[in-house]
Every structure is written in structure tokens, then in C-alpha cells.
DNA sequence: TCGTAATCGAGACGGTACGTCGTGTCTTGAG
DNA sequence: CTCAAGACACGACGTACCGTCTCGATTACGA
């Protein structure tokens, strides 16, 4: 997150001496970044200098909070990522998988996010350190959710055992992610989650019609 | 590729006036970029200035060939991508899919490429214009190959009809790409291609044992 | 002079926001130029780039102060020209003329100035805009001083009336300047001022010996 | 002059093998320089590159003839300096001095020369080596002519003895040169030569009226 | 009527400097 | 201690010339 403005152990902000940091500055900076991104400024042209100028804020105030352009972007990314984990019914594994995937799809095109989110992800991808951090936070959490459901599926007999759970996760998420992040042609269509889940579950061999 | 050194219609290089461009310069520059990339220089720090210096080449000589950092990178990327399309047997759709996927896997970790290729891809991803170009060249070609095989599979009855071919392609390539490009944890293990193809073909429902 | 660091009307430096410019930078740059000049670097080879490097200063810091090489040189020139106007006795016109000319001669060979000053003048001469500025500041002041003394001479009867004062000025200063600036053979010898003044005053016709 | 295209001892051009140099190139280049100068291009902006381009000539062809920008300028300067030495009557020293000075004045403002000549002189002044060369050729010749006349004047009793001839020369030429080269305000007015000569001869003391 | 050889135009070559911009740090005075 | 403002050293940007070099083509001469 932002650079730690030192906090005491229990989490309550230590009453530090001097003028407290203005929350308005934080907001102004993040807003300025988003505004530029939406105006199509392109991350190459994004600079702390310009951002501070547009936010009506001193450069020092920015550097006091973030160590550099990437850290700032990471925070912007997280601000877009209101991670309200999806509610799972728990009844049917297939439905839970659809719910997870639908959640992923939604975040890939929701309102403001849309282009911006995908852009920022693409950028953060280019910075190993940040990517790792983002990965560990967001991606790993998602994978854990899938893995859990899939393991339950194996237990209930809804999913064939003997396949690595990690691979299974990629089997479901990979197609969606490839579409969203790698080729960002079009918006991800409604019903995509269901189609993927069902197709992976059933396979693409011709159905054996029971007589 | 490089900036056009205008050619006559028939393809033979038009005898242009003046001293011809030195191929040694092209080589030196591309090598310098690769060297830096291998030293972990990170695309952000890559600069034409530094590259020219390390290549022992004038900046002008670089700008004569490439319009900017991105164009140069694109060329470097392509130089890594000796796209010797995989040979397909054509006998069995399943085997052809494995061959295609294996080819993809190999290029994701072969020799020099390895880290560099993945880094560059991650970086290029952040530059929409370059990404589009790379996508149209490399990614689209790969998708076409998959689509062709899959259509054959539908025709021969090896693949269930009624599923969008584009989606099918993502079902096979997505998991591999997600592993290679999105989470670049480990090397892609041997046998991954086969596992993916078979799992997607068969589905993950428990097998219905015919009596 | 330097680029205006805007001042309030009354002349006291307006308390501008932000970090004030470091006087050390000004000094370092001017010193660096002088050092190079003394090492015989020749004005053609003088470059802002090199100067900034040698002064241990960023290029931007230089451009913040001077609009270009010429402006900088002009400042250097002025720094050599500590115009402590000569003290005039006011008693005898002839002596005042000698004092003025002697002052001019001195500045034409004094210590450090010597070669450097003459070089810089020769250089600045080649830049119309700068020359005009230098001329208006330094040369015009000098001419005014001469004109004043000469007018007094006409009034007191020490100088024949009917000769244009501007021309008279050139009659006295021209020979000295021609020696110093046009042919810079040797140093200007002691006693040159007196010789010139007396010769111009008396003329070069053979003396009419009163009986 | 131009770089020596080696000549045999007797002065006739040695018949060298290979294609002879085209006189048209020499002309085109000098013309191009003059054209630019007249268009007010300013010597700073003059570049061999641009000149060759405007002359429709290869850079190499220029460098084959002149060692650099300054040498070229020197040649241009000389081409302006049609040194038809003035014809001297030889009867009266005063008239000869006027003739010499009038010649100097004329060359300082004649037709095409005018601005261009003075500009080029000012520029050449800034290059010690070239200046020396120009000085030795043009200036020294002029001084010799003055010195000769003045020595004759001393012999005939028209000029007071005991004054250094070199200084005397500067007494006459200095004022004119100062006006032309140092302050190039206005054109040098008609009659200036006579005024200077007479004033220096007679001095500026009030005339002693013999009874 | 041939080479031979220096010329021509064009333009690439490794350099250096240009003047601008962005980096991250530092330094003001004010709050 | 924070704030906006802005100076600081640094280094990259893309362009222009520098003076040298390599091209293919042209133009003279002597063999």
C-alpha cells in the first residue's frame, strides 16, 4: 500500500508530532492518475512530475507516500480492485466454479475499470517486483478459491480425481485470462463463464449417448 | 522489421545512391539489447543512448533503422521468435494438438529465450502499439494453426461440434499461456502439453464406465 | 546579465517560492568557462555541455540562468570588466584624456584579462546581438566619458572647436583599440596613452618654433 | 587559397592522373556561402553540411578543397577583397594619406561587400589562425603602404619626426577601423578620410595664429 | 580503345553538442 | 512535521553537424 506512516503495534496510528498528512493529497494524486489514464495518456507518458502538477500537489508529497511510479500504479490498481470475494452457494461445484469465473469476468470489464484496469495490469506485469506483489495478493487468492472448490468437487465425486489441482485451476481460469489480458480484443461476452466451465467439465470429445 | 530501405518492386534491392548501410551495425545493436536484457537490465532502463554506446555505434545509426525504442524491441523480439512452425502429422487430431502445444511450451523456455523472451513479452504487453503488432504476427498465426486442426477434428468427429472454435483454441492454449506469461513461477514441465490436451479432450467429470 | 530572477518593483528580491538558486552554481560555471578559456580552449569548442560537466553542474542549471552559449559568454565578459570608472582630476583636459586612455590600456592587458578578455571580445564581436548589447553597455559608456571631457576641453579652449566630438573620440581611442583588438601583436606598452594623447593634440605637422 | 592541388615547381599545373577537379564546384560553393550570408544566415548557422546541400555538391568535394568552415570563409573573404591597390600621386603626402584612407573607407562599404564583408571580418577575427593569415595578407600590406608614405613625409618635412611610424599609422587608420569594425553603426560618411587626415596632421589644439 | 585513377553526388559511419524533460533528492518559507 | 514550489545533479530524448568513409557513376588522361 502506501508507504507506511509509522504505526504503533496495535494498528492505531501513533500520534506523531507535526502536521499530519493530508488525506486530500492521497486522493488528489490517485484521481489525477486515473484521469490521465482515462484520457488515454498511456503509461509511458505518465510521470510523477506531470501527475503532481495535475493534482496540484508538490512532488515531495508524492514521494513521501510512494517510492516511485510503479508503487503508485500498484496502489491505483488496488483501488480499482474492490475485492468483494464472490459469495459461493456451496451446493453444486459446477455453480461455484461459474460464480468464481463470472466474478473474474466482471472485473475484466466493469464500468470504469475496463480499459484502465487492463492497462494497469499490463504495466504492472512489466515490473517483476510489483507483479510478484500483485500476484501474491490478488492472483494467489483467486487460485486458492478455485483450488478449494475443486478439491471439494473431487471429494463429492463431481470432479475426476488424479488431475493436479493447480493445473485444473489453470484449465478454468487460463482461457478467461488469456482472453482478457493477452488478447484484449473485445469485451468478454455474457455467458462466457458458464460456457468455459461446462466445456471443461464435459470435455470436447463427442458425447457418448447412453441408450 | 527495420525501417524500410526502399526496394524496387521486383524485390531486388534498388541500387540506392550513397554508402549502403552496414549489416554489422544491425547486428551489434540487436546483440547489445539482448546482452542488456540478459544482464537483467529491465526494459524501463533500456535506452537508445546506452544501447548505442554499448554497441559501439552512433545514435544516428540506430535512429536511421528504428523509429524508437519500441520498434527496436519489436525487432529484437522477432529475432528471438524463429518461427519454425511445427510439423504436423495430420493423422490424429489429438497428436497434432499436442505437437502445437509442445511447440509453444518449448519456445517458452528454450535456451537463450527463456527468461529474455518472457521478459520481453511482458514488457511489450505494456505498449499497445507494439503489442498489437506482435499479436497480429505471432499470436494470430498460432491461433490460426489451432483453429485449423480443431476444425478438422470437428469434421472427423474427433471433436464435439457446437463449440466455438476460437473458444476451443483458448481452452487449449490459455492454460499454457497463463502459466508461462502470467505466473512465471517455474519452468513449464515436460508432458504438460499432453496433459492439457488430454484433460481438455476428456473433460474432468468422472469417467462414465461403459459396461 | 543572468536571466531575470524576477524582482519586485522596489528592487528588493521578491521572496519567491521554492528553493532559491544557488550562487555557487553561478560561480562554478563562470569559473569553468574562464578556466577553459585560459587553457586555450577556443570559443568554438566551448560548449554548454562540456562547461556544465567541468563545473560539476547539471545542464539544466545552466539553461535556467542563461539562454545559451552567447548569453553566458556575455556574462563572463562582464565579469572581467569590473568597470571601476577611472578617477578624473578635472583640472587639465589633457591629463583626463590620458587617464581615460590609460584605463583602457590597463584593461587591455591586466592580469588574467589579457588574452582572455581580448579573445572573448573578438568572439562576442561575431554575434551581432551580443555585440550590440556589449557595445551599448561598455563601449558607449566609454565614449560618453571621452565626449564629456572633450566638450569641456572645447569650452576651456584647450581643444579646437569645430571638430565633431564623436570623431574626436575615435581619434583618441581608435589607435589604442586598433592595437588591442585588431592587431593583438604585443602588449600595449607603458606610456602609450600619453603618446597618443599628446600626438593627437599637437598634430604631426612639424612644430612651429616660436622665436 | 584553396587546398593545394599539387602543382609542379614552375607553376604550371602538373598533369595529374584522374578526373580533374571541376571549377564549377568551387564557384557553386562560394556562391552558396555568399547567398546564405546575404540572406542573413549568420555565421553560427553556416555549416558545411548546409552549404554543400545548397550548392548541390557532395560534402567530400568541399572537404577536398577546404580544411574546414573557417578556411572556406577565408577564401570567401578574399574573393570579396579585390585588392586593387590605390594609385598614389606621390606629390603631396597629405593627399596620398587621404587616398589610402579613402580606399580603406570604400572597401568598408562598397556594393555587395558592405554588410557581408564586415560580418565575415568580424567572424574571422574569432579564429586566431585565420585572423593571423588574413592579417598578414591584407592588414600588413595596408600598413606597409601607410608607413612608406609617412616615412616620405618625414623626409620631406611634411611630417614631424620623432614619432614612431607604426603608431602614426594607427593614428590615421585606427579611427576609421574603429568606426567600421568595432562600432558598425552607420556607413562611413563621405569626406571622412579627409577629415581624419587633416585633423591628425594639424592636431586639435587651438591654432596658434602667427602674427 | 582501352584501363587507370581521381573526381562527382549521395549518404552511412562514430562522435559531440544541442535544448528539453523526467528522475529522485534537497531546500526554501509558510502553516 | 507537512505543504507547494522549485532548484539541484543526472541522464535520456531525438536532431543536427562534424569530418571520414564507402558506394556506383562519370570524366579525363596515357598506353
Amino acid at each position: 500500500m502506501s508507504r507506511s506512516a509509522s504505526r504503533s503495534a496495535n494498528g492505531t496510528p501513533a500520534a506523531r508530532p507535526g502536521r499530519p498528512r493530508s488525506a486530500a493529497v492521497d486522493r488528489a494524486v490517485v484521481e489525477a492518475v486515473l484521469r490521465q489514464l482515462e484520457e488515454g495518456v498511456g503509461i509511458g507518458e505518465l510521470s510523477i512530475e506531470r501527475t503532481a502538477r495535475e493534482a496540484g500537489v508538490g512532488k515531495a508529497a508524492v514521494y513521501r507516500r510512494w517510492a516511485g511510479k510503479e508503487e503508485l500504479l500498484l496502489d491505483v490498481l488496488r483501488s480499482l480492485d474492490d475485492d468483494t470475494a464472490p459469495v459461493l452457494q456451496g451446493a453444486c461445484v459446477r455453480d461455484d466454479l461459474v460464480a468464481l469465473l463470472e466474478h473474474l469476468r466482471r472485473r475484466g470489464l466493469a464500468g470504469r475499470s475496463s480499459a484502465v484496469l487492463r492497462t494497469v495490469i499490463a504495466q504492472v506485469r512489466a515490473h517483476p517486483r510489483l507483479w510478484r506483489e500483485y500476484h501474491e495478493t490478488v492472483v494467489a487468492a483467486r487460485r486458492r478459491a478455485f483450488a478449494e472448490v475443486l478439491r471439494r468437487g473431487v471429494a463429492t465425486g463431481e470432479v475426476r480425481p488424479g488431475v493436479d489441482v493447480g493445473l485444473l485451476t489453470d484449465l478454468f481460469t487460463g482461457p478467461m485470462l488469456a482472453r482478457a489480458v493477452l488478447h484484449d480484443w473485445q469485451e468478454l461476452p455474457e455467458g462466457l463463464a458458464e460456457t468455459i466451465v461446462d466445456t471443461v467439465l464435459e470435455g470436447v470429445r463427442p458425447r457418448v449417448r447412453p441408450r
Side-chain angles (χ1 to χ4, degrees), chain A:
Chain A
M1 201 65 96
S2 296
R3 253 174 180 180
S4 59
S6 61
R7 298 171 177 282
S8 62
N10 56 15
T12 31
R16 291 183 304 136
R19 176 173 172 177
R21 289 198 186 156
S22 159
V25 170
D26 295 65
R27 255 178 290 118
V29 172
V30 171
E31 289 280 315
V33 172
L34 285 173
R35 204 183 323 127
Q36 293 177 84
L37 248 22
E38 281 165 7
E39 286 165 359
V41 170
I43 277 224
E45 290 106 307
L46 264 185
S47 71
I48 300 252
E49 190 106 20
R50 171 197 298 265
T51 299
R53 210 185 307 133
E54 297 219 355
V57 144
K59 281 203 299 178
V62 179
Y63 281 108
R64 218 171 278 131
R65 276 152 237 259
W66 296 278
K69 177 157 61 167
E70 296 84 25
E71 313 275 4
L72 170 53
L73 272 175
L74 189 52
D75 247 29
V76 171
L77 179 55
R78 274 199 269 248
S79 86
L80 288 173
D81 200 66
D82 289 318
D83 221 341
T84 51
V87 193
L88 301 182
Q89 302 296 122
C92 160
V93 163
R94 183 261 181 195
D95 289 353
D96 283 359
L97 288 172
V98 169
L100 284 171
L101 219 47
E102 180 63 11
H103 179 70
L104 181 54
R105 182 182 78 90
R106 276 238 145 71
R107 269 233 312 288
L109 34 65
R112 179 179 226 184
S113 322
S114 181
V116 174
L117 178 60
R118 286 197 306 229
T119 302
V120 180
I121 287 181
Q123 303 301 329
V124 169
R125 185 64 195 80
H127 294 272
R129 202 175 50 76
L130 295 183
W131 177 251
R132 195 166 329 115
E133 189 153 343
Y134 177 73
H135 195 276
E136 280 164 15
T137 310
V138 181
V139 182
R142 180 205 303 154
R143 292 183 69 76
R144 267 193 302 276
F146 268 96
E148 197 174 333
V149 172
L150 286 165
R151 263 192 293 269
R152 216 184 66 223
V154 173
T156 64
E158 284 169 279
V159 172
R160 167 154 63 91
V163 185
D164 177 67
V165 175
L167 179 59
L168 272 178
T169 298
D170 288 328
L171 248 33
F172 287 101
T173 60
M176 180 80 86
L177 288 172
R179 293 214 145 186
V181 179
L182 258 29
H183 3 298
D184 42 12
W185 307 316
Q186 70 287 323
E187 305 298 339
L188 306 175
E190 296 246 357
L192 181 61
E194 293 185 327
T195 309
I196 290 176
V197 169
D198 290 336
T199 313
V200 173
L201 282 177
E202 299 303 332
V204 295
R205 287 269 188 238
R207 307 269 171 109
V208 180
R209 301 241 150 237
R211 234 158 306 167

